Amino acid sequence: MNLQSLTLTQARDLLDNRRLTSRQLTDYYLQRLEKYDSYINSSLLIDYEGASRAADLADHRLAHGEGGGVLGIPYIIKDNILTKGLKTTAGSKMLANYVAPYDATVVSRLKQAGAVLLAKANLDEFALGSSTENSAFGPTHNPYNLSMVPGGSSGGSAAALAADFCTFSLGSDTGGSVRHPASLCGVVGYRPSYGAISRHGLVAMSSSLDAIGVLARSAVDVATVMAIIAGPDKYDATASLVLEAPAKVNPIINWSKIKIGWPAEYFSSGLNSEVAEHLINIKNILSDKGATIVPVNLPLTSYGVSAYAVINMAEVSSNLARFDGLRYGHWVGGSNLLETYLNNRKDGFGAEVKRRLMLGTYFLSAGEGESYYKQAQTVKTIIAREFKEVFTQVDYLLTPATPTVAFPLGVKVNDPLSLYLEDSLLTPASLAHLPAVAIPIGWNLAGLPIGGQLIGKRGEDYNMLMVAQAIQDVINITPQLLPWE
Ligand code: GLN
């Protein structure tokens, strides 16, 4: 049977109809990982034994009449999400040998539902970056062109999916880290409304913005995973948003009832022309289908990245203070306590992490807090207000996900500002705590994926995913071959 690029929905059907076993599907991915991941470096750890065991267990449950959901479905998870008994490195030398004593809530929910964990995905160190080049364990390569970046920071999760190493994957999105690599790797990448998915067991980075997100081949697949992992959790007080999962995932949309906002600020001069053309083409298709397209304005969009940077760095400096090597983490030691702290942190953290720790500490220092952190919070509030106002006129916003397509490895790694700008179209939704999803919308002339973004109202995650699916169905892009296969 040809198992190539199965969606979760297709795999579900085959498993439930006994035409495929979870073990067969799991072996298919494990063999591909073994054969091809040396080209991609999507995964830091492949759990051959654990995955095989979980698959057999799922097959046992399937044989006893269970089915549906994610039972028997293999997935890969970003390595800043804790997995009991397996290393969780956060892409850092600091945690190179750290084994978590418990599972993150998303992991335990998926385990209970019978999903099969295959591997831990590469990422930018502590999820700080937009190219996965900040990983302490080497960069991940874009499956569609190995000399290009996969985006970041969940680059391993996106590349693994594009390379057909799993059926879905999890990442984390603080300022765009699920949507960015999804856009560059041609897969669907969803950031939930803030508070919809528990972050218990996610290595905290910027707590007022961090979210766990889902990557898959289709938006409907994302919704299936959401139905398992979302919902309140006694271990995370911020996971307080209750979303009503639709009884049946039905992507048939009455377009004449849908109002889609087209925000001018997302189509400014920095936008690559091929990306812009693809978006305009989709806008026209949706309009032909009967959707109402409404030009709208979100004037503070261009301040998103700066506000994000200040908030992010300030919170990073405080969250990462715990990594000092004393209780856990990289140990060098020294002749006194201060020297020990300095040595452990100097040797354990990479350059981008250090840059943010220093800037973040400065932004929070006495006398500067007012002029940086507080102002950034004000901008955040105004951006949220702008969205709220626009959402009184429209149901969704359609934008590009990233200003350009994948870029060559190495070209931006020493230019942090240009990497921060990669997220210019993604940070505003993060700051406003809105759900947003990157959708593959086509290919540029060089055969690299182009991503669009749909942003929804807070709490309207499932409806947004259904519209995203309907857009996928309408444009129905043709798959591209993987050059290394
Ligand atoms: N690329 C952004 C950054 O470097 C976003 C990171 C994220 O969402 N985890 O901070």
Side-chain angles (χ1 to χ4, degrees), residues 75-320:
Y75 76 105
I76 286 180
I77 196 164
K78 190 176 184 178
D79 204 23
N80 61 349
I81 302 178
L82 303 190
T83 44
K84 187 176 175 175
L86 290 180
K87 274 201 260 188
T88 298
T89 67
S92 181
K93 190 174 173 188
M94 182 58 91
L95 292 177
N97 293 308
Y98 176 69
V99 178
Y102 63 94
D103 278 327
T105 295
V106 290
V107 172
S108 59
R109 287 184 182 172
L110 286 169
K111 206 178 259 179
Q112 206 154 25
V116 175
L117 176 62
L118 299 169
K120 304 287 307 271
N122 201 4
L123 68 157
D124 285 299
E125 183 175 10
F126 286 102
L128 298 172
S130 293
S131 64
T132 317
E133 293 169 288
N134 294 336
S135 168
F137 308 106
T140 297
H141 298 251
N142 192 308
Y144 289 106
N145 181 333
L146 296 178
S147 60
M148 301 283 168
V149 302
S153 64
S154 312
S157 305
L161 198 53
D164 201 18
F165 295 160
C166 56
T167 314
F168 73 92
S169 58
L170 295 190
S172 66
D173 188 310
T174 302
S177 274
V178 161
R179 291 163 286 158
H180 186 275
S183 171
L184 268 48
C185 289
V187 297
V188 176
Y190 153 75
R191 172 194 169 87
S193 293
Y194 187 82
I197 300 178
S198 166
R199 303 177 298 179
H200 175 64
L202 168 69
V203 177
M205 189 261 265
S206 180
S207 302
S208 72
L209 303 168
D210 289 343
I212 289 178
V214 185
L215 300 98
R217 294 195 176 84
S218 78
V220 157
D221 287 358
V222 170
T224 304
V225 177
M226 257 312 264
I228 309 284
I229 62 174
D233 175 19
K234 68 174 174 193
Y235 297 119
D236 178 1
T238 64
S240 56
L241 191 68
V242 182
L243 304 176
E244 200 69 46
K248 192 167 168 17
V249 187
N250 180 10
I252 298 164
I253 297 287
N254 182 352
W255 287 108
S256 64
K257 290 202 170 134
I258 307 273
K259 285 198 196 122
I260 294 180
W262 180 260
E265 292 77 5
Y266 282 71
F267 296 86
S268 62
S269 55
L271 190 64
N272 171 286
S273 61
E274 283 178 287
V275 176
E277 275 163 31
H278 273 77
L279 256 296
I280 290 168
N281 184 32
I282 286 172
K283 179 182 77 162
N284 294 338
I285 294 175
L286 297 184
S287 166
D288 287 347
K289 289 262 161 203
T292 311
I293 310 288
V294 186
V296 294
N297 284 102
L298 292 157
L300 252 64
T301 299
S302 64
Y303 291 88
V305 166
S306 322
Y308 167 79
V310 172
I311 294 169
N312 169 271
M313 292 180 196
E315 295 182 4
V316 163
S317 74
S318 127
N319 266 324
L320 269 55

Side-chain angles (χ1 to χ4, degrees), residues 8 22-23 47 51 78 167 174 243 326 336 389 482:
L8 200 164
S22 172
R23 185 62 189 260
D47 185 15
K78 190 176 184 178
T167 314
T174 302
L243 304 176
L326 297 195
N336 57 44
E389 220 166 275
L482 297 164

Side-chain angles (χ1 to χ4, degrees), residues 8-25:
L8 200 164
T9 314
Q10 290 166 334
R12 175 80 276 138
D13 221 49
L14 293 172
L15 290 171
D16 287 348
N17 291 317
R18 306 277 175 281
R19 295 183 48 217
L20 174 72
T21 64
S22 172
R23 185 62 189 260
Q24 287 168 332
L25 187 57

